[in-house]
Amino acid sequence: EFVEGVTHGVEKAFDVTVQIPTNFAEKGIKFGKTTVTSDSIGTDNLLLIYMIFENDFSGEMTAKAFDNKGLEMGRARVKVTGKKNEARFVEFHFEKHTNIDSDSRLTLE
């Protein structure tokens, strides 16, 4: 029971909310689950966003991470392409010094 509670708490700590501007919906992009995990070189520096493409899309997206005081602490830019009716996770790799916490704020542009 104790292990089950600890595992559940750790899992919840990595569910994050990303502020997404409305212009993505106008371009035919919807967003599903978002999580933060670690890549092979850093700690909690990999943002995964599930994207659903209702239209063809090709362009760059930038994710920004802010600490609990509102100070920017990282950016990750990704070239995103998707065909109509496709869906997949898109990875935003922040540098290894960016440690996204549960009280961090994330935005997508």
Side-chain angles (χ1 to χ4, degrees):
E1 193 174 319
F2 172 75
V3 172
E4 202 172 69
V6 170
T7 302
H8 182 69
V10 169
E11 183 179 308
K12 290 293 275 181
F14 294 111
D15 288 339
V16 295
T17 301
V18 179
Q19 296 174 341
I20 300 168
T22 57
N23 68 333
F24 284 113
E26 295 164 3
K27 295 175 183 179
I29 303 172
K30 289 186 175 182
F31 297 88
K33 185 167 180 68
T34 59
T35 58
V36 171
T37 189
S38 300
D39 68 10
S40 61
I41 60 169
T43 303
D44 297 338
N45 64 328
L46 176 61
L47 172 63
L48 300 167
I49 302 177
Y50 189 76
M51 295 187 189
I52 304 154
F53 300 94
E54 295 181 331
N55 297 320
D56 290 351
F57 177 82
S58 180
E60 287 192 343
M61 293 184 187
T62 301
K64 295 180 182 178
F66 300 86
D67 69 10
N68 62 358
K69 296 178 182 171
L71 296 173
E72 186 176 330
M73 62 180 175
R75 289 184 187 200
R77 181 175 292 190
V78 175
K79 171 82 170 152
V80 178
T81 58
K83 296 286 184 191
K84 183 177 182 174
N85 296 322
E86 285 184 343
R88 68 174 183 289
F89 277 99
V90 175
E91 299 179 350
F92 293 85
H93 290 265
F94 290 87
E95 70 169 309
K96 68 179 180 178
H97 299 291
T98 303
N99 185 9
I100 301 168
D101 293 319
S102 59
D103 62 352
S104 298
R105 183 171 58 92
L106 297 164
T107 63
L108 188 64
E109 301 174 356

